[in-house]
Amino acid sequence: MIWRGATALAGGALDLAAPLAGADWRERLALSGPEAAPGGIWLHAASLGELNSVQVLAEELARDFPLVVTTNSLTGRDLARRLGHACALAPLDVPQAVGRFLDRVRPAVMVTVENELWPNRSAMAAARGVAQVVVGARISARSAARWGRLPGLIGPMLARIDALSAQDADSEARLLALGLRADALTPRLNLKLLGPARVDPGEDAPERCRTVLAASTHEGEDALMLDAWTAARAAVPELRLILAPRHPQRGDAVAALIAARGLDFARRSRGGGPGAPVLLADTLGEMALWYRAAGICVTGGSFADHGGHTPWEPAAWRCAILNGPHVANHACDYADLAAAGGARPCEAAALPQALAALVQDAAGQRRMGAAARALLLARAGNPATLIARIRRLARP
């Protein structure tokens, strides 16, 4: 069945927040764009976040096949260019545009990220013998109920999928009920965790157990961290603190807080390093250095009510995690890490005591860090099976 309208399914509408220039519209209509040798991979991701989440997969596939990346958004296309991929804005889901794009790219496999299913793209790719793969698929109960009322639309698209990796068991069950073939399922992957899972934390240096990182702090949390660290330092005099504000432009204000306490400190923006008792890490793009240096990470945004920041980055580096009560943005992640022994929640008033206890327990720090990283690896999944399946589909 060919649909005459540009109809988006589970993935949502095109991202046209930024006005398109004439050249961009030509890409949308597949009147221009990259060409590729036949037998390659067409990788489609809606926007910046989705493309970021599949960088690991894109790198692996690009080793063996011509790779063309499409996105719905200008920012996503810009990222694809910076990564060195042949790329274009995705063709509108009308037969003429899809047909022109397929004529130019001639893929063997179409890999779609998350929920971007389009009826014309699906039908026309199948008609040309292009295998179809979906990675990181997810569908809510509400969306599944809606598509259940349109079985003639969603069913054929799902039936054409040759391989699908879902994010969770519930999404798997819903997609199977809507028409996905059971033999299309591959092991689950959490795409957003594949990048952190690739981090190599290396061997634990002894000084890690004597270094605390306060990561991505917000206003109101810096003073709390400084006072908690000062209290913990009474038990471990050589204890160091790396204080990394979420917004480095707050550096002057945080420096004033440190100076008001009479503490010896250095500022990274002025060339300081982690050898100082307190390092104010008021720069961008260096968080990996601080996670590597610290045995304990206190996650910011969780003591002031900002919903908490991701625990998976410190988990990747085997940090023992302390977090506050405000973790609504990642509530299940923090709860699971706590249950696994990788994180400890505490109220602001209890942070000095919790930190003092943990800095005196080097073995406990290492156990927590190992538990956090083990859970990360289990949640991320292993993309090797999916990559092998894509390779077989491209070279039947």
Side-chain angles (χ1 to χ4, degrees):
M1 178 185 295
I2 297 295
W3 288 76
R4 298 296 171 185
T7 306
L9 294 185
L14 294 174
D15 176 3
L16 300 180
L20 295 183
D24 298 328
W25 277 114
R26 287 182 62 81
E27 283 189 7
R28 287 284 188 209
L29 297 171
L31 295 170
S32 66
E35 297 186 4
I41 307 292
W42 171 15
L43 174 65
H44 174 74
S47 191
L48 190 68
E50 291 81 3
L51 184 55
N52 260 322
S53 73
V54 289
Q55 284 194 41
V56 173
L57 185 65
E59 290 170 9
E60 288 294 328
L61 294 176
R63 298 179 201 276
D64 299 326
F65 302 98
L67 180 70
V68 174
V69 176
T70 63
T71 69
N72 295 342
S73 73
L74 298 175
T75 54
R77 185 187 63 183
D78 289 345
L79 173 62
R81 283 177 177 164
R82 291 197 300 273
L83 294 173
H85 299 309
C87 61
L89 294 173
L92 292 172
D93 198 51
V94 294
Q96 297 87 345
V98 173
R100 283 190 291 265
F101 184 86
L102 290 172
D103 286 342
R104 181 178 292 112
V105 174
R106 297 174 291 173
V109 181
M110 178 175 71
V111 179
T112 300
V113 182
E114 292 190 4
N115 301 347
E116 282 277 303
L117 300 179
W118 298 79
N120 287 321
R121 190 181 299 176
S122 168
M124 296 178 71
R128 295 178 184 226
V130 179
Q132 300 183 37
V133 177
V134 179
V135 298
R138 57 186 172 82
I139 186 169
S140 67
R142 183 178 179 184
S143 293
R146 284 202 305 266
W147 293 121
R149 295 193 289 269
L150 297 168
L153 184 57
I154 190 69
M157 283 193 294
L158 291 175
R160 296 183 191 115
I161 292 173
D162 298 283
L164 180 143
S165 171
Q167 291 190 17
D168 55 76
D170 288 341
S171 290
E172 278 184 359
R174 291 166 190 146
L175 290 166
L176 288 168
L178 289 170
L180 180 71
R181 303 191 321 270
D183 64 358
L185 284 178
T186 66
R188 295 171 207 144
L189 293 175
N190 188 319
L191 299 177
K192 292 179 175 60
L193 299 187
L194 288 182
R198 293 183 84 193
V199 163
D200 179 8
E203 296 297 322
D204 271 334
E207 58 269 22
R208 284 194 81 209
C209 295
R210 300 187 295 274
T211 304
V212 177
L213 168 64
S216 298
T217 57
H218 291 258
E219 186 175 356
E221 294 182 317
D222 309 290
L224 173 67
M225 271 309 311
L226 289 165
D227 294 342
W229 174 78
T230 300
R233 200 181 186 209
V236 181
E238 64 272 26
L239 187 65
R240 296 182 299 179
L241 172 66
I242 302 171
L243 183 52
R246 177 71 169 179
H247 303 109
Q249 59 267 34
R250 293 180 51 242
D252 288 344
V254 178
L257 289 174
I258 302 171
R261 287 162 171 75
L263 299 172
D264 181 16
F265 74 101
R267 290 183 69 165
R268 181 62 172 174
S269 62
R270 299 181 183 177
V278 177
L279 173 66
L280 174 53
D282 53 346
T283 55
L284 288 172
E286 295 191 300
M287 284 303 297
L289 295 177
W290 317 138
Y291 287 125
R292 182 187 293 276
I296 300 171
C297 178
V298 182
T299 53
S302 66
F303 290 94
D305 192 0
H306 289 276
H309 297 301
T310 176
W312 296 120
E313 289 181 359
W317 292 97
R318 278 203 307 265
C319 295
I321 299 168
L322 292 176
N323 62 272
H326 302 292
V327 293
N329 294 343
H330 304 276
C332 292
D333 296 334
Y334 276 100
D336 291 345
L337 280 163
R344 290 181 189 171
C346 63
E347 298 290 332
L351 181 59
Q353 293 78 17
L355 187 58
L358 194 53
V359 299
Q360 297 177 79
D361 184 6
Q365 287 183 42
R366 287 191 287 269
R367 284 195 300 270
M368 287 182 67
R373 181 167 171 81
L375 184 59
L376 164 66
L377 296 178
R379 286 292 176 83
N382 187 343
T385 300
L386 177 65
I387 291 168
R389 183 84 163 261
I390 293 171
R391 286 180 174 136
R392 288 198 298 274
L393 290 168
R395 295 171 177 160

